[in-house]
Amino acid sequence: MLRVTVDKELCAGSGRCEVTYPAAFEVGDDMKARLRPGVDMASLDRTSLLEAARACPWGAIAVDGENIDDRSHS
Amino acid sequence: MTDQLLPVDFDDRGIPIFDKEVLPLVVDDGDDWRSRLDQIREQYPFFRFTDDPQIWVSRYDSARHIFSNADLFAEPGAGFAMLAGAAAGEDDDRRAAARVNDARHREVRRALLPHFSPSYVKTWESSMRSIIREILDRLGDRRGCDFVLDVAQYFFPYIGAQWLGAPREDWDKLVQWEHDVFLVPPGMTDRSLHMDGEAMTSLIVYLNQLLDSARQRPRDDTFSSFIAGLEADGTLSHDEAIGSMIIQALGSGHTVTATLGYLFHFLATHPDARKDIVGDESKILSAAEEVLRVRSLFGHGRQVTEDVEISGCPMHQGDQVFVMYTIPNRDPRCFGADIDLERSPNQHLAFNFASHQCLGMHWARQSWRIVVEEWHARYPDYELAPGAQLVEQVYAGVGFHSLPLVW
């Protein structure tokens, strides 16, 4: 099962994830991205999820625990 | 009651053209220039100024749409490489070229994020406090100061200089260059940024030297070493590396300085709100965010890559559009011009939006909080100096040239 997380502190609600993969993401009333309530995780496509994660200007989305923007500070 | 502003003409698309004198580059205190722009916004969703080829976008939804669609409304350069002299190219399919540029921009931005994330910025809290304390120590036993010239003008530029890895003896030089780059030169009449003056040239030479020096030394936690590392491992090109350095330095210059000027003007003139705000971290941030929304700094231009209609206005490929943030941010359809300290969420456009949202946003927010906390620990009661005549630079969002406070 895929595991998708949105870092709410990083998310600025640009909605790029929603535009890129609308079946998976939406921006809530708090202007933060989230997985669509009730979405069937088994129906989601990993490649599309990664594309949505890459579209995020703040790197707020991690797929399977891997934040694609995570790099060492040092 | 203000007379209604009328356009002096309409262009061949029916877009109204207003006299450029409606928006001077510098205004005296009491000239409520933002209210004139509010008036224009309420009459027209798009407008132009005389002698300015850009189409100005006045309403929130349209501005947000433009910022959210970087392929249709493209950066008029190549993002981080733009300031280093790279050109966007003359591709026949401008929208496809914009997509390529935007994808590259996202990659570069992603590579830079580790120095701009909230968690990284938090690691700077004690350094930021040390610097503001050092600046406030200079005030000694004085019963007043010029908040902009004595405090704000130095605070974030010093942080930026330390973060860059500039030696302490160079910090004041950087402050001066960053200040001068955005000053309105005598006789300047157009409204696009001029990046070829002496201060800018000196800054670019200095940043190139700093980057060269960082290439020679082992990686540390300075921004120049971080960039040199990204260049060395092939993540950034040479132009992108120096472009990132320039953007960091320019972003450290007038932005936080100007916003602090507006914030402390608000606090000095609203003592009841001040008492409510200063002891509460979240209220400080809400207040600062609202001041920034209502008194946003300058704006951002985009180039139309394909003929498109937006809110009834036909836009042609090659058109330049400009969003002056303060105009859509005061749009009563979403916000209005009054400060609401309880506003949440507050998705204003003062930091731009989507793929070009200001990378330094979390640096700015932490700066506001720390300066408000450290200042009020020493000077809880203060006011504008009697008779103070404030000059506000509209151009480039420099804000108040000075802000005399007394206590």
Side-chain angles (χ1 to χ4, degrees):
Chain A
M1 179 71 78
L2 287 165
R3 192 168 144 264
V4 178
T5 56
V6 178
D7 183 328
K8 300 276 184 184
E9 190 178 20
L10 276 174
C11 175
S14 75
R16 301 321 294 157
C17 54
E18 186 177 21
V19 170
T20 307
Y21 196 12
F25 295 101
E26 67 176 16
V27 177
D29 292 340
D30 61 353
M31 297 298 167
K32 300 288 183 183
R34 64 185 181 198
L35 281 169
R36 283 196 184 278
V39 69
D40 176 9
M41 294 302 290
S43 71
L44 298 181
D45 169 53
R46 181 181 167 82
T47 305
S48 301
L49 285 169
L50 287 171
E51 197 179 330
R54 274 189 205 98
C56 175
W58 289 98
I61 297 172
V63 179
D64 278 350
E66 180 189 353
N67 183 323
I68 55 162
D69 302 322
D70 199 14
R71 284 163 185 261
S72 167
H73 293 158
S74 59
Chain B
M1 186 72 184
T2 313
D3 291 338
Q4 186 176 16
L5 283 169
L6 296 173
V8 295
D9 202 354
F10 290 85
D11 72 7
D12 54 9
R13 274 179 260 180
I15 298 173
I17 303 170
F18 285 86
D19 188 327
K20 66 183 177 186
E21 296 308 320
V22 167
L23 185 63
L25 303 182
V26 180
V27 299
D28 293 329
D29 189 26
D31 180 355
D32 189 4
W33 58 274
R34 288 182 173 86
S35 73
R36 293 196 291 276
L37 298 176
D38 290 340
Q39 272 196 53
I40 294 177
R41 181 195 56 241
E42 293 314 299
Q43 295 179 73
Y44 301 104
F46 301 94
F47 64 97
R48 291 174 49 196
F49 282 117
T50 48
D51 301 330
D52 182 353
Q54 301 176 112
I55 299 169
W56 287 50
V57 182
S58 64
R59 294 186 185 163
Y60 179 85
D61 284 350
S62 298
R64 184 171 152 148
H65 176 75
I66 284 168
F67 288 150
S68 298
N69 290 276
D71 58 337
L72 259 178
F73 302 94
E75 275 284 306
F80 288 98
M82 174 179 68
L83 290 169
E90 291 297 326
D91 198 309
D92 286 341
D93 186 343
R94 293 191 193 192
R95 191 170 181 183
R99 269 196 206 104
V100 171
N101 277 346
D102 190 49
R104 181 59 191 154
H105 172 86
R106 280 207 307 271
E107 288 172 4
V108 174
R109 182 183 170 96
R110 197 175 304 141
L112 299 179
L113 276 175
H115 265 239
F116 295 89
S117 68
S119 57
Y120 178 73
V121 173
K122 278 175 195 152
T123 68
W124 277 77
E125 172 136 359
S126 64
S127 297
M128 293 167 84
R129 286 195 189 276
S130 296
I131 284 176
I132 187 63
R133 286 172 187 163
E134 178 195 321
I135 291 168
L136 294 179
D137 284 347
R138 296 179 194 171
L139 302 180
D141 298 328
R142 289 159 58 179
R143 303 292 303 174
C145 76
D146 191 304
F147 180 79
V148 168
L149 296 177
D150 295 330
V151 180
Q153 180 173 285
Y154 292 98
F155 172 66
F156 201 74
Y158 276 3
I159 305 289
Q162 184 175 351
W163 174 25
L164 267 175
R168 181 67 181 82
E169 61 268 25
D170 292 342
W171 290 8
D172 286 321
K173 192 163 63 180
L174 281 163
V175 169
Q176 195 62 48
W177 287 332
E178 291 165 8
H179 177 259
D180 290 351
V181 164
F182 291 102
L183 265 194
V184 172
M188 192 178 83
T189 54
D190 71 52
R191 294 166 199 282
S192 54
L193 286 171
H194 289 258
M195 291 288 181
D196 53 1
E198 188 182 334
M200 187 66 185
T201 306
S202 302
L203 185 63
I204 290 174
V205 168
Y206 182 85
L207 293 172
N208 269 293
Q209 289 167 350
L210 204 58
L211 187 55
D212 267 343
S213 152
R215 288 179 183 121
Q216 310 304 318
R217 67 174 185 250
R219 286 180 92 167
D220 56 26
D221 203 27
T222 64
F223 189 75
S224 50
S225 290
F226 172 63
I227 294 299
L230 292 174
E231 187 189 25
D233 69 17
T235 305
L236 298 183
S237 69
H238 172 78
D239 281 350
E240 288 163 346
I242 189 63
S244 301
M245 296 278 288
I246 295 168
I247 287 175
Q248 192 272 15
L250 293 181
S252 300
H254 68 302
T255 53
V256 175
T257 301
T259 308
L260 283 172
Y262 288 133
L263 177 59
F264 273 73
H265 179 269
F266 173 78
L267 295 171
T269 54
H270 295 78
D272 290 341
R274 182 172 81 216
K275 286 183 178 62
D276 184 39
I277 290 165
V278 295
D280 184 319
E281 184 176 317
S282 68
K283 286 183 180 176
I284 293 170
L285 290 174
S286 292
E289 209 78 41
E290 271 293 89
V291 169
L292 177 64
R293 178 183 68 76
V294 171
R295 298 189 132 178
S296 313
L297 315 180
F298 212 48
H300 193 76
R302 294 284 177 95
Q303 187 175 60
V304 181
T305 61
E306 201 172 272
D307 290 358
V308 64
E309 188 171 300
I310 169 169
S311 299
C313 178
M315 303 247 178
H316 302 156
Q317 185 186 68
D319 280 346
Q320 302 286 337
V321 295
F322 184 73
V323 177
M324 191 177 206
Y325 302 131
T326 201
I327 308 177
N329 276 344
R330 294 156 61 101
D331 186 342
R333 293 157 195 81
C334 310
F335 301 108
D338 294 332
I339 286 179
D340 174 1
L341 298 175
E342 306 292 322
R343 190 182 302 284
S344 177
N346 189 356
Q347 203 166 44
H348 61 72
L349 304 175
F351 285 117
N352 207 307
F353 194 66
S355 57
H356 289 270
Q357 192 165 41
C358 175
L359 262 179
M361 185 166 77
H362 299 291
W363 283 97
R365 287 175 174 158
Q366 182 154 301
S367 295
W368 305 333
R369 175 175 59 78
I370 286 173
V371 173
V372 168
E373 288 172 354
E374 293 292 336
W375 171 278
H376 289 88
R378 298 189 191 205
Y379 312 113
D381 293 307
Y382 55 95
E383 60 185 7
L384 275 183
Q389 296 291 310
L390 302 186
V391 171
E392 183 183 4
Q393 185 176 316
V394 177
Y395 170 81
V398 165
F400 294 126
H401 282 184
S402 72
L403 185 68
L405 301 177
V406 291
W407 53 85

